[in-house]
Amino acid sequence: MHAVGPVSSEGARWRRAARATFALSFLGILVVLGLFVRLPLLVLEPGPAPDVAKRTTIEAQTFPSEGSIHLTTAQVRAPQGASGRQILAAIFDPDQLVLPREVI
């Protein structure tokens, strides 16, 4: 019969280092994939607001005006699906909104 003695501290330290290396490598792979893989989410952000009064002609009597009429628009960034990096940036930007693809 073979007697098993206590595990050496060197072996335990090596196993801890190997587990930590594996965990960090796995986490690194998940982060890289999360940053570049397209997800079924879209980022909605403010679009340009052109002055439509200057681009519109009216075939009737008009009166002079000093104001402007702006068309409010929104645009979808990355319509094929946003990457994790884009979603993370949108979460911290109050002017952007992350929505599921089915909503748009």
Side-chain angles (χ1 to χ4, degrees), residues 26-90:
F26 185 71
L27 183 61
I29 290 169
L30 287 178
V31 167
V32 169
L33 286 175
L35 292 178
F36 297 105
V37 172
R38 299 285 177 187
L39 301 171
L41 298 170
L42 302 175
V43 177
L44 189 66
E45 62 186 5
D51 183 4
V52 294
K54 293 180 181 176
R55 298 179 181 195
T56 306
T57 56
I58 300 174
E59 301 288 328
Q61 180 183 5
T62 60
F63 301 95
S65 84
E66 296 179 19
S68 60
I69 301 172
H70 291 270
L71 176 67
T72 303
T73 63
Q75 60 187 11
V76 174
R77 187 189 313 161
Q80 68 277 16
S83 68
R85 182 177 36 143
Q86 291 170 324
I87 292 169
L88 190 60

